Every structure is written in structure tokens, then in C-alpha cells.
Amino acid sequence: MALAELILWPGTKVCQHFGIDPNSDAGLIRWMINTLVYLVIMLAFVWIVVV
């Protein structure tokens, strides 16, 4: 598994769950899901470190 596949894994799995091809135009959906996942992870990390 390449690093890019590892980073894109959450969005790819959600797209596959809903029957959407993550490599077609649904790449925007995969991008949005990955953005939300990593936003939550990073906000939790910052919250723990700062507070």
C-alpha cells in the first residue's frame, strides 16, 4: 500500500460503501470525506496538546 493510498483510505472506503467509484468524478466526494476526517483528527490533537 502506497502512502497516497493510505492517506486516501477513509474516503475510499466510504465511497465504496455507498457504491461510488472513488477514482471517477466522485474523487471530490472522497476529498471532502478525507478533509472532514483529518480535520476532526487534527482538531482533537490540537485540543489535547493545547488544553
Side-chain angles (χ1 to χ4, degrees):
M1 181 176 271
L3 181 61
E5 291 174 358
L6 185 64
I7 292 171
L8 296 173
W9 182 79
T12 302
K13 287 300 173 186
V14 170
C15 285
Q16 289 174 350
H17 175 73
F18 289 116
I20 302 170
D21 181 21
N23 294 323
S24 65
D25 288 337
L28 292 174
I29 296 171
R30 178 174 63 173
W31 167 81
M32 181 190 68
I33 293 167
N34 285 326
T35 301
L36 292 174
V37 167
Y38 291 121
L39 173 69
V40 170
I41 291 170
M42 291 300 142
L43 284 175
F45 174 75
V46 169
W47 186 273
I48 291 169
V49 170
V50 173
V51 175

